[in-house]
Amino acid sequence: MNYIGIDKKALESVASHLNKLLASYNIYYQNLRSFHWHVQGSNFFDLHHLFEDYYNSAKLTIDEIAERILTIGHKPDGSLHTYLDKTKIKESDDLLTDREMAKQVLENQSELIKNMRTVIKEASKVEDEGTIDLIGGMLSAIEKKAWLLYSWQKKQ
């Protein structure tokens, strides 16, 4: 039964790009957890709470992306080695300064934004409005987070 009305084969590219986004989000999430644990310095209170908010949000987003892949009839990737192979986001070093951590998070967010735009383009080709809607909401949320972090970095 084709309960969403789009051929499963037509959704292969969408699923592939969603899996790349899933991979990127998982590495972003782990970087945030590490930064939350290791942040020190004069920005500790700002960043410790910010990183926790960001990783809690990322955890929910990861689940939504994986469930969307399942909804369109495909399998979400689930191993760390696969995530590391599929993303341009790299595991971050634990020994960064507070400002370097914030810079790295912003760079990770920029990569997520690129991934999301690619997913939306692929989903548009097959009229996958469900994916477009889901990722569109995620896109506006991460763009706002990136803007807020960018603005915070400008202080000093």
Side-chain angles (χ1 to χ4, degrees), residues 36-52:
H36 173 73
W37 297 329
H38 294 104
V39 67
Q40 296 180 358
S42 61
N43 295 307
F44 173 81
F45 289 106
D46 285 345
L47 293 178
H48 183 73
H49 292 294
L50 182 72
F51 295 153
E52 184 175 17

Side-chain angles (χ1 to χ4, degrees), residues 142-154:
I142 196 81
E143 285 175 339
K144 184 170 184 179
K145 284 178 174 75
W147 165 70
L148 291 169
L149 188 56
Y150 175 81
S151 297
W152 176 88
Q153 286 184 327
K154 292 299 176 187

Side-chain angles (χ1 to χ4, degrees), residues 23-80:
S24 295
Y25 249 101
N26 271 284
I27 303 307
Y28 168 68
Y29 170 81
Q30 188 54 47
N31 287 343
L32 290 166
R33 293 291 305 243
S34 178
F35 292 164
H36 173 73
W37 297 329
H38 294 104
V39 67
Q40 296 180 358
S42 61
N43 295 307
F44 173 81
F45 289 106
D46 285 345
L47 293 178
H48 183 73
H49 292 294
L50 182 72
F51 295 153
E52 184 175 17
D53 288 344
Y54 280 7
Y55 77 66
N56 282 329
S57 176
K59 180 174 62 173
L60 296 172
T61 300
I62 287 165
D63 194 54
E64 289 181 39
I65 294 166
E67 288 179 353
R68 184 63 193 171
I69 296 167
L70 290 164
T71 299
I72 64 172
H74 292 272
K75 184 178 182 264
D77 294 326
S79 66
L80 291 176

Side-chain angles (χ1 to χ4, degrees), residues 13-153:
S13 180
V14 175
S16 175
H17 287 286
L18 281 168
N19 265 313
K20 288 178 186 174
L21 180 60
L22 181 64
S24 295
Y25 249 101
N26 271 284
I27 303 307
Y28 168 68
Y29 170 81
Q30 188 54 47
N31 287 343
L32 290 166
R33 293 291 305 243
S34 178
F35 292 164
H36 173 73
W37 297 329
H38 294 104
V39 67
Q40 296 180 358
S42 61
N43 295 307
F44 173 81
F45 289 106
D46 285 345
L47 293 178
H48 183 73
H49 292 294
L50 182 72
F51 295 153
E52 184 175 17
D53 288 344
Y54 280 7
Y55 77 66
N56 282 329
S57 176
K59 180 174 62 173
L60 296 172
T61 300
I62 287 165
D63 194 54
E64 289 181 39
I65 294 166
E67 288 179 353
R68 184 63 193 171
I69 296 167
L70 290 164
T71 299
I72 64 172
H74 292 272
K75 184 178 182 264
D77 294 326
S79 66
L80 291 176
H81 76 275
T82 301
Y83 295 153
L84 289 167
D85 287 344
K86 286 192 174 186
T87 183
K88 291 182 181 178
I89 295 177
K90 302 296 178 206
E91 288 179 293
S92 291
D93 186 359
D94 296 338
L95 303 176
L96 300 176
T97 67
D98 55 351
R99 307 252 337 139
E100 290 170 331
M101 288 177 180
K103 181 178 185 268
Q104 184 66 51
V105 169
L106 185 57
E107 289 171 2
N108 289 179
Q109 290 170 336
S110 292
E111 185 62 28
L112 292 170
I113 289 166
K114 287 178 199 172
N115 288 180
M116 288 179 181
R117 289 194 177 124
T118 300
V119 169
I120 291 170
K121 284 178 190 171
E122 288 301 308
S124 295
K125 291 177 186 176
V126 294
E127 299 178 357
D128 178 5
E129 297 296 331
T131 298
I132 294 166
D133 182 57
L134 177 68
I135 302 303
M138 291 175 182
L139 176 61
S140 64
I142 196 81
E143 285 175 339
K144 184 170 184 179
K145 284 178 174 75
W147 165 70
L148 291 169
L149 188 56
Y150 175 81
S151 297
W152 176 88
Q153 286 184 327

